[in-house]
């Protein structure tokens, strides 16, 4: 595999885009990423598009009006990891030498569904009997709180941090801060989870331009190197499963650290999949930031907010930025690219050199999650002034 | 939750799971084949008592379902984990790892299954599920 870099990144704000089609949202993000890279359309060899609910040919609908045609446009559905899976396909295609420069798109328009929890496959035994994603996370939360003697205020603190970060992010859906009391007083969804502990869905799009490292100088933006790109599916178990240790994230992260030749202590900034408050705590442990049972202590120490050793979800994460599912993985990558280029403005993590992206999800009984993608990105080399 | 009559052993009145003799693996509902060796599964009655691994009371649920209702995972002594509806008007009476017991009530073409905490102090009322 040759070295692969990201040379273009852009996204639409997340939120309600009632007057825009999924194609129009996607086109805006792709155009932004091409401009950011200074890329000519003739340089684009393929498009990898992640989407879940938009129906047929979402990628083509997004790029048709941009004059991108006559090339492979591949539509990828992998639940919450759809556009993270698209990024991985781009990495494989460019790294193998099949293509030189490709576009990754993630786009979703969930307001088109009319709100509420996402519909899952009702041929699934659990789903047919009332299972839903908030309840799965609520059961993880209940078990975690009882195993480690924690309380719902520990969960609420995750939402408070997310909203504090999101308030600094013009691309976030929810841009107001909140308090532990308000989080706990918001209406119950699946106890112990309340409304403010569940991510808002919304609409949005994010796009990246991915190319081979040797071609990076032909583009305008600084090149962010992809140090690791991992995609795993969940493993079926019919018996006991430790719901406090998300195994698909544990083995995906392990492989990503091995690929990059680094460990969790080397990471400066992370965008992880905080679909619900409990998720952030479980993922601290699964990603190796905290020992088992120590995630809440890590959060309370301030280590995962601005000024801490590993800033988690500077964008506000899914809880504040929103979760238009197919767009999420690409948007996480856009945020980390901006962080590593020192372009994240009020939410910039000082001196960020290595960033990790984690997108996982998909409700399927018998597995932890349907899919999980982990990427590790490295900041551009500093330009050395020549005398 | 609704259980089709073919999932219930008429002699013992217990749920029927799938069991692989070779892998010593059981599952409910029985998958079409053993996920470990891909061999056939034999029907086997499951224990009617287990431990409540975790639970959640759902207040905002799928359309058409009466709210709230409580779901959980029950671990049986043979290692099988079941998705379950749990009888609870108030989930503050529930605890992780508490013993629970299955009751099956005839319901149309099959049964309605609900797991009830078997602690003497716990309330024994059932909630109707949709
Ligand atoms: Zn077997």
């Amino acid at each position: 595999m040759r070295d692969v870099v990201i040379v273009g990144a852009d996204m639409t704000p997340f939120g309600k885009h009632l007057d825009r089609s999924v194609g129009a949202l996607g086109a805006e993000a792709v155009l932004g990423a091409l401009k950011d890279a200074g890329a000519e359309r003739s340089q684009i060899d393929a498009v990898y598009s992640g989407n879940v609910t938009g129906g047929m040919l979402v990628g083509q609908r997004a790029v048709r009006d941009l004059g991108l045609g006559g090339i492979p446009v591949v539509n990828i559905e992998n639940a919450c990891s759809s556009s993270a899976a698209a990024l991985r396909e781009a990495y494989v295609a460019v790294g193998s030498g099949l293509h030189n420069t490709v576009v990754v798109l993630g786009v979703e328009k969930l307001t088109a569904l009319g709100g509420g929890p996402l519909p899952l496959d009702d041929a699934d035994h659990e789903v047919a009997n009332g299972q839903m994603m908030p309840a799965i996370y609520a059961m993880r939360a209940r078990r975690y709180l009882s195993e480690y003697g924690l309380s719902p205020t520990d969960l609420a603190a995750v939402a408070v941090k997310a909203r504090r970060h999101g308030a600094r992010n013009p691309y976030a859906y929810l841009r107001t801060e909140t308090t532990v009391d308000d989080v706990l007083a918001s209406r119950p969804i699946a106890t112990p989870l309340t409304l403010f502990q569940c991510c808002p869905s919304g609409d949005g799009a994010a796009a990246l331009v991915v190319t081979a490292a040797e071609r990076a100088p032909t583009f305008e933006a600084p090149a962010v190197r992809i140090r690791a790109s991992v995609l795993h599916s969940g493993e079926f178990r019919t018996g006991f499963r430790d719901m406090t240790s998300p195994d698909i994230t544990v083995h995906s992260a392990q492989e990503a650290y091995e690929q990059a030749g680094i460990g969790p202590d080397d990471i400066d900034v992370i965008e992880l999949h905080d679909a619900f408050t409990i998720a952030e705590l479980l993922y601290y442990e699964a990603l190796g930031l905290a020992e088992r049972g120590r995630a809440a202590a890590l959060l309370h120490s301030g280590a995962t907010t601005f000024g801490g050793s590993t800033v988690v979800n500077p964008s506000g994460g899914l809880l504040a930025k929103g979760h238009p599912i197919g767009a999420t993985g690409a948007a996480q990558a856009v945020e980390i690219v901006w962080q590593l280029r020192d372009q994240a403005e009020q939410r910039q993590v000082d001196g960020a050199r290595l960033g990790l992206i984690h997108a996982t999800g998909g409700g399927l009984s018998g597995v932890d999650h349907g899919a999980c993608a982990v990427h590790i990105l490295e900041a551009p080399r500093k330009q050395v002034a020549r005398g | 939750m609704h259980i089709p009559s073919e999932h219930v052993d008429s002699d013992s009145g217990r749920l029927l799971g799938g069991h692989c003799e070779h892998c010593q693996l059981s599952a409910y509902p029985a998958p079409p084949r053993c996920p470990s060796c891909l061999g056939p599964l034999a029907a086997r009655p499951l224990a009617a008592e287990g431990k409540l691994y975790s639970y959640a009371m759902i207040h905002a649920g799928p359309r058409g379902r009466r709210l709230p209702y409580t779901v959980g995972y029950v671990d049986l002594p043979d290692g099988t984990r079941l998705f379950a509806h749990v009888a609870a008007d108030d989930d503050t009476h529930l605890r992780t790892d508490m013993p629970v017991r299955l009751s099956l009530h005839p319901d149309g073409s099959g049964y309605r299954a609900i797991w009830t905490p078997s602690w003497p102090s716990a309330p024994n009322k059932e909630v109707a599920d949709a």
Side-chain angles (χ1 to χ4, degrees), chain B residues 20 22-23 34 36-39:
Chain B
C20 176
H22 181 259
C23 304
C34 172
S36 177
C37 69
L38 304 184

Side-chain angles (χ1 to χ4, degrees), chain A residues 114-115 117 125-126 128-132 135 138-139 142-143 146-147 187-191 236 238-244, chain B residues 1-2 25-27 29 35 53-62 65 69 71-73 75 79 81 83 85 91 96-97:
Chain A
H125 158 71
E126 295 187 6
N129 286 294
Q131 180 65 296
M132 44 193 288
M139 285 191 271
R142 176 67 68 195
R143 187 73 201 184
S146 86
E147 280 194 15
R187 73 184 165 89
I189 300 297
T191 49
F236 184 45
T238 60
F240 178 83
R241 174 185 294 276
D242 180 352
M243 289 183 82
T244 69
Chain B
M1 84 173 55
H2 183 77
L25 174 152
S26 319
Y53 175 77
S54 194
Y55 56 92
M57 184 176 259
I58 299 177
H59 299 268
R65 205 169 265 281
Y69 59 98
V71 299
Y73 284 115
D75 285 331
R81 173 167 290 181
F83 178 68
H85 281 212
D91 66 354
T96 55
D97 292 330

